[in-house]
Amino acid sequence: MIKAVIFDMYETLVTLYGGLRYTGKQIAGEIGIRESDFRTIWDPSDEDRTLGRMTFEEVIEKILKRFGRYSEELFRTVVMKRKQSRDECFQRLHPGILPMLEGLKASGFRIGLITNCYFEERDSIRAGILFPFFDALCMSCEMGSKKPDAEIFIRCMDELSVLPQECLYVGDGGAGELEAARKLGMHTLQAMWYLNMGPMRESGRKDGFKQAELPADVLREAEKYSGDGIELK
């Protein structure tokens, strides 16, 4: 019996593609240094930023000072544009996302979120239109744990007061999330609606996992298996 639906965030509920791009290449250009130089500090910081050991601001300040580019104005510009790029994705949701979440709530399902994210993304999530729907939020930068580690999945299930077999996990399939959820005994569903929109995607269609082509498919699957406990294929 499914009692809760747990979602991934990026490329599942929102997409970072097709909107304001402000990642390594764009930030390096803003600073006025080569991308390869920028990445000597940026790329190694990813784990620390994901697990909440460093902030975006700390890394940018370090880069600016390392390459002799620091000024308060430039620092503030980079931080502002990064925040804007993270806020912006919540303004262009797939049209089926809100009706799906509203339908899940109306049907009595608990809704959780498990996402690998940085502090600046955490702030955008908490300020975004989707935040009120979540009964549990497990964000890597707050938890100090990230997908596919079992710990972050278990924490989310504990907050929702559900067992693995009572959960449907929905994600695009990046970071080994679907495999991790299945290993724990959760039902799984690969979200395809953003993946189908273009070629620049981390994950393709995964063999051995059931796919949801549209957000409405998630609600149908959750309702279909909410009373008899039949495992999703």
Side-chain angles (χ1 to χ4, degrees):
M1 179 176 182
I2 293 175
K3 297 180 180 178
V5 181
I6 300 176
F7 290 94
D8 169 44
M9 178 57 80
Y10 295 103
E11 308 318 310
T12 299
L13 293 177
V14 301
T15 181
L16 292 173
Y17 294 93
L20 293 175
R21 294 287 290 167
Y22 201 68
T23 54
K25 182 178 181 179
Q26 292 78 26
I27 300 171
E30 187 86 52
I31 293 173
I33 62 175
R34 293 181 300 181
E35 184 180 357
S36 58
D37 290 336
F38 174 85
R39 291 196 175 278
T40 62
I41 297 174
W42 177 254
D43 290 353
S45 77
D46 186 76
E47 180 86 352
D48 285 335
R49 288 183 290 118
T50 301
L51 295 177
R53 297 192 290 250
M54 290 186 74
T55 66
F56 175 77
E57 289 85 351
E58 288 170 337
V59 176
I60 292 303
E61 183 176 357
K62 182 177 180 180
I63 292 170
L64 289 169
K65 290 181 176 178
R66 173 73 61 84
F67 295 101
R69 299 290 297 160
Y70 186 84
S71 72
E72 284 290 337
E73 181 180 1
L74 183 54
F75 174 78
R76 287 195 299 267
T77 296
V78 172
V79 170
M80 178 192 66
K81 288 189 175 182
R82 174 74 167 187
K83 183 182 185 305
Q84 288 175 339
S85 73
R86 272 23 192 181
D87 289 346
E88 185 267 347
C89 65
F90 290 91
Q91 300 170 18
R92 48 182 179 82
L93 301 175
H94 186 285
I97 294 295
L98 290 178
M100 171 192 66
L101 294 174
E102 290 165 352
L104 288 171
K105 281 293 189 184
S107 295
F109 292 101
R110 280 162 265 178
I111 299 177
L113 176 72
I114 299 175
T115 180
N116 291 352
C117 67
Y118 315 122
F119 280 125
E120 71 271 19
E121 294 173 332
R122 183 273 311 269
D123 294 343
S124 294
I125 290 169
R126 289 190 176 278
I129 192 172
L130 303 183
F131 177 74
F133 288 100
F134 301 124
D135 299 297
L137 289 96
C138 290
M139 297 184 274
S140 64
C141 60
E142 292 185 336
M143 297 289 175
S145 176
K146 67 176 185 175
K147 298 179 292 183
D149 295 342
E151 179 184 353
I152 196 166
F153 290 88
I154 293 169
R155 289 277 296 275
C156 191
M157 288 187 284
D158 286 347
E159 289 190 23
L160 293 169
S161 299
V162 292
L163 299 171
Q165 61 268 27
E166 296 172 329
C167 294
L168 171 60
Y169 182 82
V170 183
D172 67 294
E177 60 185 357
L178 296 174
E179 292 83 356
R182 175 177 284 178
K183 186 176 181 180
L184 286 169
M186 302 168 74
H187 306 286
T188 57
L189 197 58
Q190 186 180 17
M192 297 302 300
W193 45 87
Y194 289 126
L195 299 183
N196 290 334
M197 290 171 61
M200 293 178 61
R201 296 297 188 264
E202 178 183 349
S203 308
R205 191 175 294 270
K206 284 184 169 284
D207 294 335
F209 290 94
K210 191 167 187 177
Q211 279 89 34
E213 303 300 330
L214 295 170
D217 295 338
V218 176
L219 178 58
R220 281 193 288 267
E221 290 296 324
E223 290 179 334
K224 184 177 178 181
Y225 297 97
S226 63
D228 54 22
I230 299 174
E231 186 169 356
L232 303 184
K233 301 298 184 181

